[in-house]
Amino acid sequence: MAQKARGPRPARPVPSQTDEAADIGVEARIAAGLLLNGALEKRGGLDEALSNPIVAALPGPDRAFARAVAMAALRRLGEIDQILDRRLQKSPPAPVRTLLRIALAQTLVLETPAFAAVSTAVKLAERDTKTRPYKNLVNAVLRGIDRDGPGLTTATGNLPDWIAARWRATYGEAALIGLALAGRDEPPTDLSLKPGSDAAALAEAVEGTVLPGGTVRTGRRGELAGWPEYEAGTWWVQDAAAAVPARLLGVSPGQTALDMCAAPGGKTLQLAAAGAGVVALDRSEVRLRRLRQNLDRVGLTAEVVAIPAEDWDDPRTFDAVLLDAPCTATGTYRRNPEVLRATKPAEVARLADVQHRLLDVAAERVKPGGRLVYCVCSLEREEGETQIIAFLRRNPAFRTVPADPSEVGAPTEALTAEGWLRILPSMWADQGGVDGFFAARLERV
């Protein structure tokens, strides 16, 4: 595609070395279409599609390839459709567009040889009565794009119109372009380390770098269990931005800490590793299983309770309370591009109401002189800045304690005039970006 990509290049599938390369992976491409459509249909649709028998029955490498293709298509969906619409006199049936999207995700993003992607797309069209009448169209469109090139595309087209309008109004046109570019490619993997671990040595072992705050970033892919120091419990996967709120809380050994919406658990691990006595709450027992597994693997302990935070009947108050509130998660689109398609405008207001209630619950759990950090992985002001403004108005016992980005491993430009942190995915663009987060540190006076 014409626009220059930023960040690390996506992992490339290993092409077959046989003459039948075009035939191999047909089922994987069917699975890729199922994953793509599942992600576009509803929130959680991608996860549901991963458990589809067609997807689940694939060998591991084919399943990984299918997911890589679907994710590439999601990240570049707007650009792919721009290219297709210039070639199509009228929009084809949805199954045909899916075939075309999957093929272009392979050739234009994953750099699959065009002959293999085109041949397989035509074979797939032949297999289904809904797409069979369009097999010549599929062949002509894909070969024409391969012959003439894709033409110019705009990265902002990858964003749903209502999201683009919101971000343009909030952050400005230049920032919107940066945000759009941040979502085009697969991000690197970030690792949080236990205190005392040798970050430089681990970075060398995984061919990565050490970011401010001590996060190790690597472009390495594959099964985590085979990575250096995994079995030793030295690290866990956690985006660099997601590691900031727990650092902002600044717990010390012997202090007590409450992680109110804890799953999947990265922040709980940080608090426990810092020496705090941690209580981790979450409404989902299923999601807490991963937290418990990671606590065991890294050799840390926490009191884990499967219950909604607002229903927890316990008299304790804490030195430090962390509320990573349920949100639209629009800041995570680098890793989860499906969130932008699945999120609807009404969800912003609905979740803002949930956040309002949880903030008041969190306030009751903070000891006098204690700290409260509120954060969301959302780029929507209603879920971030607006929540804290309203909270401080109705809770005069709390005040903002300004953040220092250099102390918590956040981009310097993330600091707001109020002393909060607004991390954008376009920050650290030359290093692969970060997830979008809002975080504010408050103190009960």
Side-chain angles (χ1 to χ4, degrees):
M1 298 182 190
Q3 288 188 331
K4 184 178 180 182
R6 294 187 178 184
R9 295 203 59 80
R12 293 177 56 183
V14 179
S16 169
Q17 300 300 312
T18 71
D19 292 337
E20 294 82 22
D23 292 331
I24 293 176
V26 168
E27 299 300 327
R29 287 160 173 83
I30 293 174
L34 291 172
L35 294 175
L36 173 61
N37 290 334
L40 294 175
E41 287 167 2
K42 60 181 178 179
R43 183 177 288 272
L46 179 64
D47 290 337
E48 287 183 18
L50 284 168
S51 62
N52 183 296
I54 294 175
V55 181
L58 291 173
D62 283 4
R63 192 164 56 250
F65 175 76
R67 189 177 188 280
V69 172
M71 296 295 275
L74 283 169
R75 290 190 172 96
R76 308 287 186 99
L77 192 65
E79 292 179 85
I80 287 172
D81 282 349
Q82 289 170 18
I83 295 165
L84 288 175
D85 290 343
R86 286 197 290 261
R87 291 273 172 178
L88 296 166
Q89 293 183 349
K90 62 179 181 179
S91 186
V96 177
R97 183 173 285 271
T98 297
L99 290 180
L100 293 169
R101 285 169 166 174
I102 291 299
L104 290 186
Q106 294 170 66
T107 59
L108 301 181
V109 185
L110 300 181
E111 300 181 9
T112 301
F115 78 89
V118 175
S119 175
T120 307
V122 172
K123 290 180 183 296
L124 287 173
E126 290 176 339
R127 289 176 57 155
D128 191 325
T129 56
K130 296 178 182 178
T131 55
R132 190 173 302 139
Y134 297 90
K135 68 177 184 179
N136 290 336
L137 174 69
V138 169
N139 183 64
V141 168
L142 295 177
R143 292 195 183 279
I145 293 170
D146 181 49
R147 180 186 65 246
D148 302 331
L152 293 175
T153 59
T154 55
T156 52
N158 296 323
L159 306 175
D161 291 343
W162 74 276
I163 287 280
R166 287 178 65 88
W167 292 357
R168 182 182 288 109
T170 302
Y171 303 111
E173 184 67 31
L176 174 67
I177 294 172
L179 290 171
L181 289 171
R184 295 177 83 234
D185 295 305
E186 185 179 1
T189 300
D190 293 345
L191 310 177
S192 288
L193 281 65
K194 290 172 66 175
S197 302
D198 190 335
L202 179 63
E204 182 178 0
V206 297
E207 301 176 44
T209 58
V210 182
L211 299 178
T215 292
V216 170
R217 170 163 289 182
T218 176
R220 186 170 180 153
R221 311 294 179 196
E223 179 58 44
L224 294 175
W227 290 19
E229 299 296 321
Y230 176 85
E231 292 295 339
T234 301
W235 53 263
W236 57 92
V237 174
Q238 185 179 30
D239 187 87
V244 167
R247 296 190 194 121
L248 192 61
L249 201 52
V251 297
S252 302
Q255 289 189 326
T256 57
L258 174 65
D259 190 354
M260 286 183 58
C261 301
K267 298 175 184 65
T268 295
L269 294 176
Q270 286 180 276
L271 298 173
V278 184
V279 176
L281 308 180
D282 199 274
R283 65 175 57 243
S284 172
E285 174 61 41
V286 173
R287 283 165 52 82
L288 284 175
R289 289 174 192 166
R290 180 178 170 189
L291 169 55
R292 291 189 177 96
Q293 290 168 355
N294 274 327
L295 283 169
D296 289 342
R297 182 177 64 83
V298 301
L300 296 171
T301 59
E303 180 183 343
V304 181
V305 184
I307 192 171
E310 60 269 36
D311 295 338
W312 190 44
D313 185 16
D314 189 291
R316 282 177 286 179
T317 56
F318 298 82
D319 299 306
V321 175
L322 177 60
L323 173 56
D324 185 357
C327 68
T328 55
T330 52
T332 68
Y333 66 92
R334 292 164 58 250
R335 302 190 185 280
N336 308 299
E338 68 275 14
V339 301
L340 297 186
R341 304 288 169 177
T343 301
K344 305 304 177 187
E347 289 186 74
V348 178
R350 180 181 65 81
L351 287 164
D353 184 60
V354 174
Q355 294 148 9
H356 173 113
R357 297 198 311 271
L358 285 173
L359 260 170
D360 287 344
V361 171
E364 297 174 357
R365 296 289 180 178
V366 182
K367 290 181 178 179
R371 301 170 305 286
L372 166 64
V373 166
Y374 170 79
C375 65
V376 284
C377 53
S378 166
L379 297 185
E380 317 315 312
R381 282 188 61 88
E382 297 94 323
E383 300 184 84
E385 292 87 343
T386 302
Q387 287 291 339
I388 295 303
I389 291 170
F391 174 81
L392 291 173
R393 285 175 179 166
R394 65 181 184 269
N395 288 277
F398 284 83
R399 66 171 184 176
T400 293
V401 180
D404 181 346
S406 65
E407 289 184 355
V408 296
T412 55
E413 62 268 39
L415 185 65
T416 72
E418 299 86 355
W420 309 327
L421 294 173
R422 169 53 78 184
I423 303 174
L424 299 179
S426 51
M427 295 175 180
W428 289 347
D430 58 341
Q431 301 178 70
V434 287
D435 279 356
F437 257 86
F438 172 83
R441 179 172 56 193
L442 310 173
E443 180 182 48
R444 180 186 283 277
V445 237

